Amino acid sequence: MELWLDTASVDEVRAASRFGVISGITTNPSLWAKSGGGREYRDVVLEIASIIDGPISAECLSQDVEGLVEEARRIAGWHPNVVVKIPIDENGLEAISRLSREGVKINTTLIFSTNQAMLAGQAGATYVSPFVGRLDDVGEEGMALVREIVEVFDRYNFPTRVLAASLRHPRHVVEAAKAGAHIATMPYAVFQAMFRHPLTDAGMKRFLEDGQRASGVKV
Ligand code: G3P
């Protein structure tokens, strides 16, 4: 499973990139606003593209089909690694079908059901993004949706990749991997939490102290 960062913060992308394990980025208008806004969305995406050599999702805001198609073509032209995010509704689905036939890579966002994922897959989307945390928020089991989409796509050999999104804590990342997601996109804080463990810290402290004692260094 690939690990992607869910952020529009260039600082976070830069900080995480040094570990060499992040292979893509997802952004959305809320993350853009959270990162401080002020800059053009295109400039932010292009700066991220200069740091991470992998897919970078940038979201469309148009509400009608023609607007979505036009905006998606424009966003796709920003950089070869840019993937256009389109929400799944009737207009979104029509736009996804048309754009996929032109070769535009689409990440279908705001997926909350397997039917929505199947429609996006049939329309030619490159990715579907089930929002795990938001389903958990309303009392459903978000990861069950990821599992079901993976099962259906596997059975019918859909080439569409399942991108587990709206992950809120490190356990979500493990569960996404167990569910067979192709990609997990996560906030920077969740990524940091993946490599921390108090027993690792305690173990390192003890090894250091024992090593110093063994070598005669006063601790
Ligand atoms: O990738 C989707 C993500 O940004 C949504 O996360 O925590 O707002 O549900 P959240």
Side-chain angles (χ1 to χ4, degrees), residues 98-119:
R98 284 173 53 180
L99 290 157
S100 299
R101 284 198 291 272
E102 293 175 15
V104 176
K105 288 202 168 77
I106 309 290
N107 172 1
T108 312
T109 190
L110 291 170
I111 294 276
F112 291 101
S113 77
T114 303
N115 279 328
Q116 291 177 327
M118 284 196 291
L119 289 169

Side-chain angles (χ1 to χ4, degrees), residues 10-200:
V10 172
D11 289 343
E12 289 182 352
V13 172
R14 193 165 280 117
S17 71
R18 72 192 174 99
F19 301 108
V21 298
I22 296 294
S23 51
I25 304 289
T26 47
T27 70
N28 63 40
S30 305
L31 293 170
W32 176 30
K34 193 174 150 201
S35 75
R39 295 179 68 193
E40 290 289 324
Y41 193 21
R42 177 177 180 275
D43 293 343
V44 174
V45 169
L46 287 180
E47 191 169 351
I48 290 173
S50 73
I51 302 167
I52 294 285
D53 184 19
I56 297 160
S57 290
E59 187 148 346
C60 283
L61 288 174
S62 299
Q63 301 295 303
D64 59 283
V65 179
E66 291 311 321
L68 281 169
V69 169
E70 197 179 308
E71 187 182 5
R73 285 182 186 142
R74 189 165 41 77
I75 290 176
W78 288 350
H79 189 279
N81 286 349
V82 167
V83 174
V84 183
K85 250 178 156 178
I86 297 184
I88 182 74
D89 65 1
E90 289 178 21
N91 289 341
L93 188 63
E94 186 177 337
I96 291 165
S97 287
R98 284 173 53 180
L99 290 157
S100 299
R101 284 198 291 272
E102 293 175 15
V104 176
K105 288 202 168 77
I106 309 290
N107 172 1
T108 312
T109 190
L110 291 170
I111 294 276
F112 291 101
S113 77
T114 303
N115 279 328
Q116 291 177 327
M118 284 196 291
L119 289 169
Q122 293 285 2
T126 306
Y127 305 94
V128 289
S129 291
F131 273 34
V132 174
R134 292 196 193 180
L135 280 169
D136 291 353
D137 288 345
V138 296
E140 295 186 36
E141 194 204 333
M143 209 53 76
L145 174 61
V146 175
R147 251 190 316 274
E148 190 171 75
I149 296 171
V150 168
E151 183 188 338
V152 171
F153 280 14
D154 273 357
R155 181 172 306 172
Y156 294 101
N157 296 316
F158 275 63
T160 308
R161 309 189 80 206
V162 181
L163 199 175
S166 180
L167 303 184
R168 304 276 178 74
H169 51 73
R171 195 64 208 165
H172 266 159
V173 183
V174 176
E175 293 300 329
K178 285 170 65 183
H182 302 100
I183 302 144
T185 190
M186 69 203 77
Y188 183 57
V190 173
F191 172 66
Q192 286 181 303
M194 280 180 73
F195 53 79
R196 292 209 185 110
H197 198 287
L199 290 178
T200 303

